[in-house]
Amino acid sequence: MARAVSVADGLTIDHAPGPRRGTSASPAGRMGRFAPLGLLLLAGCSFAPPYVQPPLPVPDSFSTTSASDGSIARIGWRDFFRDPELQGLIGEALVHNRDIRIAAGRVEEARANYRIQGSALYPQVDAVAAGNRGRTPAGLSLIGRPVTASQYQALLSAGWEIDFWGRLRNLKEAAVQQFLSTEESRRAVATSLIAQVATGYLLEREYEERIALARDTVTTRDKSLWIMRRRYEVGSGSKLEMTQAQLLLAQAKTALEALIQDQAVNRNALALLVGHPVEFRPGPLRLAETDSNRELPAGLPSDLLINRPDIVAAEHRLRAANANIGAARAAFFPNINLTGTFGTASNELDGLFGDGSLSWNFSPTITLPIFNAGRNAASLDAAEARRNVAVAEYEQVIQQAFRDVSDALVQRRQLIAQIASTRDMVAALRERARLAQLRFDNGRSAYLEVLDAQRDLFDTQQSLIQLRRGYYASGVALYAALGGGFADDATFAPPSPAPSPSPSPSVEEDQPR
């Protein structure tokens, strides 16, 4: 009866007793002649567990949007960001940014590691030339006299590990998956870079508009101070009112200087992202006046599995961990190596290639692990533990991506309401400032009322610009959270330059979606 021997983790091999002497005509004896063929067939086996994609650890849809088959992640970045100046900045960043270069270097390293691992599947052939000369003392010599001898060899040496159990193939598969993971990580870096450049560009436009508003306010308040000083000098105004006008002007100047400082810091950040200092032309964007409430479909959470590069990278790492389990299981089985040499050998250098100098050697070896203090079992446990970690990391990345999308959707929805209410507030404060100025001019109120009205109007106008920039930035964040940028483009080199914009582009064409 056949005997089953348990090997590792549920794997079994059936061993049948061999035929007796003189019974080679039996079916078992005839099958013995096909044993080499059976060994070759075993070369196709693999002990890696079948890969099963973990279930989606998030709801089937985003709670803040209706289910949609479309997703802005399928839009290329040049079609999503339609401002020519922003397109130029992103294109330069994708070429010159150091993070991109680092990520590209890691991709090349992973590609080389994959080639290294794959080379183990093939025979290794080396050319070997060796020489040896030595003296054997009389006490050790077979002829009882000291002997001085020489030996010279010129050989071809070959070695090949036959991958019966799939160990090398699983290691190669793990290296392939690591390479693919690194490539997706590079795409994730590029997607993040695009979002950072777009956000910095929006901040530049915000500072530009807020600085323009602050300068207009400084000019207006400087004129008001001149009027209040003249009134004080002629005796129709008080020194308190003049001092209040000075305070109002100083506040506007302080705000202006702070905005100029923040703009310079933001430009330094953009220079780091793009890879060189950047210059901006005055832009047509008027964030406080435009109304671009576009619908940005987010699609379904399941779309993240194929669109978001960090999720795809995590899945490749999970597949690599799965393949490493197969390599660890194969270590329980015999290791078969074929080694041999072929060439010439002689005791004289000039006779190395003469007649009768042919030399060859063939040394097949089979190594079966019997006792290694549990090293193979521990290696298998470690591989399975790494696979469990990879599963948790994969699920964590999905949950983080779901949160990023949900946060961006919530921000867009709430910012629309905030912008609407702030816009109404600006209109009301502008009317309040006008009425307060009329009351002061007619002597019916103190200048403090004008001071409060103008200060509140200035602060609210600044807040409206910030809210508008935040609204557009939420669209950029949503685009990045969905994995947009390179749906159909595997390379990050920017395509041919876009056609020059018309002399007077519309506001809608200049806005990022």
Side-chain angles (χ1 to χ4, degrees):
M1 179 178 293
R3 178 170 55 89
V5 180
S6 176
V7 180
D9 202 16
L11 303 174
T12 59
I13 298 179
D14 292 334
H15 296 278
R20 296 179 182 176
R21 241 178 239 263
T23 60
S24 59
S26 66
R30 290 194 299 269
M31 289 300 293
R33 289 179 290 181
F34 295 98
L37 178 61
L39 290 176
L40 291 176
L41 293 177
L42 278 176
C45 72
S46 173
F47 296 139
Y51 174 75
V52 178
Q53 189 178 47
L56 201 65
V58 294
D60 294 333
S61 62
F62 300 105
S63 58
T64 56
T65 183
S66 58
S68 173
D69 293 334
S71 172
I72 56 174
R74 303 182 185 277
I75 303 175
W77 64 267
R78 282 190 173 271
D79 295 323
F80 187 80
F81 302 106
R82 293 181 292 183
D83 186 311
E85 187 173 12
L86 176 56
Q87 288 182 355
L89 289 175
I90 293 176
E92 291 179 4
L94 292 175
V95 173
H96 302 295
N97 182 264
R98 271 57 181 180
D99 288 335
I100 289 291
R101 293 185 181 181
I102 292 171
R106 288 173 177 166
V107 170
E108 294 305 316
E109 179 185 7
R111 189 196 307 273
N113 288 335
Y114 152 63
R115 293 167 56 195
I116 292 171
Q117 203 63 249
S119 66
L121 289 167
Y122 300 93
Q124 177 179 338
V125 180
D126 300 309
V128 180
N132 179 45
R133 181 173 176 82
R135 180 180 183 278
T136 304
L140 298 178
S141 174
L142 296 177
I143 60 177
R145 295 195 305 269
V147 176
T148 300
S150 301
Q151 183 179 3
Y152 302 94
Q153 293 178 318
L155 306 170
L156 287 178
S157 174
W160 184 26
E161 178 181 346
I162 302 179
D163 192 29
F164 282 148
W165 321 112
R167 185 182 71 88
L168 298 179
R169 290 193 304 278
N170 280 315
L171 290 176
K172 178 184 176 182
E173 175 64 18
V176 170
Q177 296 300 329
Q178 288 291 350
F179 161 68
L180 296 175
S181 173
T182 308
E183 180 68 33
E184 291 298 328
S185 297
R186 176 180 177 230
R187 191 164 72 93
V189 170
T191 300
S192 175
L193 176 63
I194 289 175
Q196 292 179 62
V197 173
T199 301
Y201 178 77
L202 288 174
L203 277 171
E204 170 64 26
R205 292 311 184 199
E206 175 194 322
Y207 290 134
E208 181 181 321
E209 186 169 350
R210 291 177 65 189
I211 287 173
L213 175 61
R215 283 174 175 163
D216 292 342
T217 302
V218 167
T219 301
T220 302
R221 293 182 182 181
D222 188 57
K223 292 180 180 179
S224 298
L225 176 60
W226 182 84
I227 294 173
M228 298 307 297
R229 183 178 287 112
R230 291 295 299 167
R231 292 183 61 176
Y232 171 68
E233 290 173 352
V234 300
S236 61
S238 66
K239 187 175 183 180
L240 176 61
E241 292 173 343
M242 184 185 70
T243 305
Q244 289 172 340
Q246 289 176 334
L247 175 62
L248 203 61
L249 176 61
Q251 289 175 342
K253 287 183 176 180
T254 301
L256 175 60
E257 294 302 324
L259 288 172
I260 292 175
Q261 172 186 315
D262 292 342
Q263 183 185 46
V265 171
N266 182 64
R267 288 187 175 184
N268 292 337
L270 277 174
L272 180 62
L273 293 173
V274 175
H276 59 77
V278 294
E279 297 292 336
F280 292 94
R281 58 178 175 81
L285 296 181
R286 298 294 297 175
L287 297 179
E289 299 174 2
T290 57
D291 184 12
S292 182
N293 183 18
R294 290 194 181 100
E295 181 69 23
L296 299 182
L300 299 173
S302 57
D303 295 334
L304 296 174
L305 302 183
I306 57 176
N307 293 330
R308 181 144 164 159
D310 55 346
I311 294 179
V312 180
E315 184 175 7
H316 283 304
R317 290 194 295 270
L318 176 57
R319 290 179 179 271
N322 207 63
N324 282 328
I325 292 178
R329 287 177 174 176
F332 287 90
F333 294 87
N335 184 290
I336 302 175
N337 280 278
L338 303 180
T339 60
T341 59
F342 179 84
T344 63
S346 174
N347 60 351
E348 298 290 343
L349 185 60
D350 57 359
L352 187 59
F353 297 99
D355 294 338
S357 63
L358 179 64
S359 173
W360 61 269
N361 177 50
F362 179 61
S363 304
T365 60
I366 299 178
T367 305
L368 176 65
I370 296 177
F371 176 75
N372 52 30
R375 182 182 60 192
N376 290 343
S379 297
L380 178 59
D381 291 342
E384 291 176 343
R386 285 191 288 267
R387 192 265 311 273
N388 295 336
V389 171
V391 170
E393 290 177 343
Y394 175 70
E395 295 173 342
Q396 184 182 45
V397 171
I398 293 176
Q399 290 176 336
Q400 182 62 49
F402 184 87
R403 178 191 172 181
D404 292 342
V405 175
S406 300
D407 288 348
L409 291 171
V410 169
Q411 288 174 356
R412 287 184 64 79
R413 183 183 64 183
Q414 296 305 122
L415 284 171
I416 290 174
Q418 293 180 48
I419 289 170
S421 60
T422 305
R423 190 175 288 154
D424 294 341
M425 190 183 303
V426 168
L429 288 172
R430 186 177 287 115
E431 180 66 13
R432 174 196 172 192
R434 186 185 69 83
L435 294 175
Q437 187 67 45
L438 287 176
R439 285 171 57 85
F440 173 75
D441 293 341
N442 294 326
R444 302 182 61 182
S445 66
Y447 192 69
L448 181 61
E449 185 175 338
V450 177
L451 178 70
D452 291 340
Q454 290 184 354
R455 183 169 51 236
D456 293 343
L457 175 60
F458 176 74
D459 292 342
T460 308
Q461 287 175 325
Q462 295 280 338
S463 297
L464 178 58
I465 298 173
Q466 289 179 295
L467 288 172
R468 292 298 303 174
R469 191 271 310 163
Y471 174 74
Y472 288 114
S474 69
V476 174
L478 177 61
Y479 184 60
L482 293 171
F486 303 97
D488 301 319
D489 186 6
T491 64
F492 302 142
S496 57
S500 300
S502 58
S504 301
S506 65
V507 171
E508 287 294 313
E509 290 178 348
D510 284 330
Q511 297 297 334
R513 295 191 178 201

